[in-house]
Amino acid sequence: DAGVTQSPTHLIKTRGQHVTLRCSPISGHKSVSWYQQVLGQGPQFIFQYYEKEERGRGNFPDRFSARQFPNYSSELNVNALLLGDSALYLCASSQGASGGYGYTFGSGTRLTVV
Amino acid sequence: GESVGLHLPTLSVQEGDNSIINCAYSNSASDYFIWYKQESGKGPQFIIDIRSNMDKRQGQRVTVLLNKTVKHLSLQIAATQPGDSAVYFCAETAANQAGTALIFGKGTTLSVSS
């Protein structure tokens, strides 16, 4: 079975641009969560979506937004990119809405802002 | 007083030795704890978990110990192998609350020499 898939794997953007990151959960998983991992640190929670509704939001500015589609895949959008947005963006899927239980992480998208 | 087990950012061991990685968690309301292994270029991989109603749980070559009194978690790896080299993170959450997130601790880089 396919695990959590994220695309693209790497990308480079310029300050002020917009970026869209995509995540496909494991088949049967209805929850998708997004995390940002800055180099040398642990992942930090950005959003959780369950059954297409936002269920949790971390301490990130409004430049960050996300949505979940009827097939449970998800997009993370970041507007007006800053150099500090450079990070590994991780997607995790799970069957239920409970925070952190039964998570499987994808390999992430490495975003570099120049 | 005696230290319970300080977090070390790096740990170097010889192949075959036992490794102990320590973690202090922050939230007294957390009731579910997970250890993750993260290899370079990959997302966090689940190793073992423990609920707050337990103080010890064993897996294959790994044991997690939970001390709720001092909010301390440890991961013991028996007979450490070169393939165990990675960054290890502990994470905490309130598992039964929808929309809550994993809170990751500071990682420990384990290096195993043969």
Side-chain angles (χ1 to χ4, degrees):
Chain A
D1 285 340
V4 177
T5 57
Q6 293 187 243
S7 63
T9 55
H10 298 82
L11 76 165
I12 300 173
K13 290 286 189 176
T14 305
R15 276 179 300 175
Q17 284 189 316
H18 162 91
V19 69
T20 297
L21 310 181
R22 295 176 175 83
C23 172
S24 292
I26 290 173
S27 177
H29 284 192
K30 298 181 179 180
S31 175
V32 168
S33 297
W34 288 95
Y35 285 76
Q36 181 197 65
Q37 186 175 24
V38 173
L39 195 63
Q41 297 183 18
Q44 290 211 324
F45 173 66
I46 311 175
F47 287 110
Q48 185 200 20
Y49 276 78
Y50 177 73
E51 289 281 15
K52 293 158 286 190
E53 291 186 0
E54 182 184 302
R55 292 297 189 98
R57 174 186 286 252
N59 187 25
F60 279 80
D62 291 344
R63 299 185 295 108
F64 288 77
S65 64
R67 54 180 177 168
Q68 187 177 32
F69 299 100
N71 66 353
Y72 303 111
S73 67
S74 177
E75 285 182 352
L76 175 69
N77 296 285
V78 187
N79 292 325
L81 285 166
L82 303 174
L83 295 180
D85 295 331
S86 296
L88 179 68
Y89 288 85
L90 294 162
C91 172
S93 77
S94 61
Q95 287 185 321
S98 296
Y101 187 74
Y103 267 18
T104 300
F105 281 90
S107 291
T109 294
R110 172 72 63 189
L111 172 65
T112 302
V113 182
V114 297
Chain B
E2 180 181 356
S3 64
V4 175
L6 297 175
H7 167 262
L8 298 174
T10 61
L11 178 64
S12 296
V13 301
Q14 291 281 108
E15 182 178 2
D17 286 351
N18 296 331
S19 303
I20 299 176
I21 300 172
N22 295 304
C23 173
Y25 65 93
S26 57
N27 189 353
S28 298
S30 293
D31 60 5
Y32 179 61
F33 305 88
I34 312 167
W35 279 101
Y36 287 97
K37 172 186 180 182
Q38 188 173 25
E39 297 173 290
S40 180
K42 297 184 179 181
Q45 177 188 356
F46 173 92
I47 302 173
I48 191 168
D49 59 1
I50 189 168
R51 292 193 177 275
S52 59
N53 60 352
M54 303 173 70
D55 52 23
K56 180 179 180 179
R57 189 159 189 239
Q58 290 184 291
Q60 187 175 15
R61 284 202 307 120
V62 294
T63 300
V64 55
L65 299 178
L66 175 63
N67 184 331
K68 294 181 287 295
T69 302
V70 293
K71 293 194 287 187
H72 180 265
L73 201 63
S74 69
L75 176 70
Q76 300 177 3
I77 304 174
T80 314
Q81 302 169 358
D84 295 327
S85 294
V87 180
Y88 289 79
F89 292 98
C90 65
E92 60 180 297
T93 189
N96 293 323
Q97 296 181 23
T100 58
L102 286 174
I103 300 171
F104 284 81
K106 299 175 183 178
T108 294
T109 300
L110 175 65
S111 298
V112 183
S113 54
S114 53

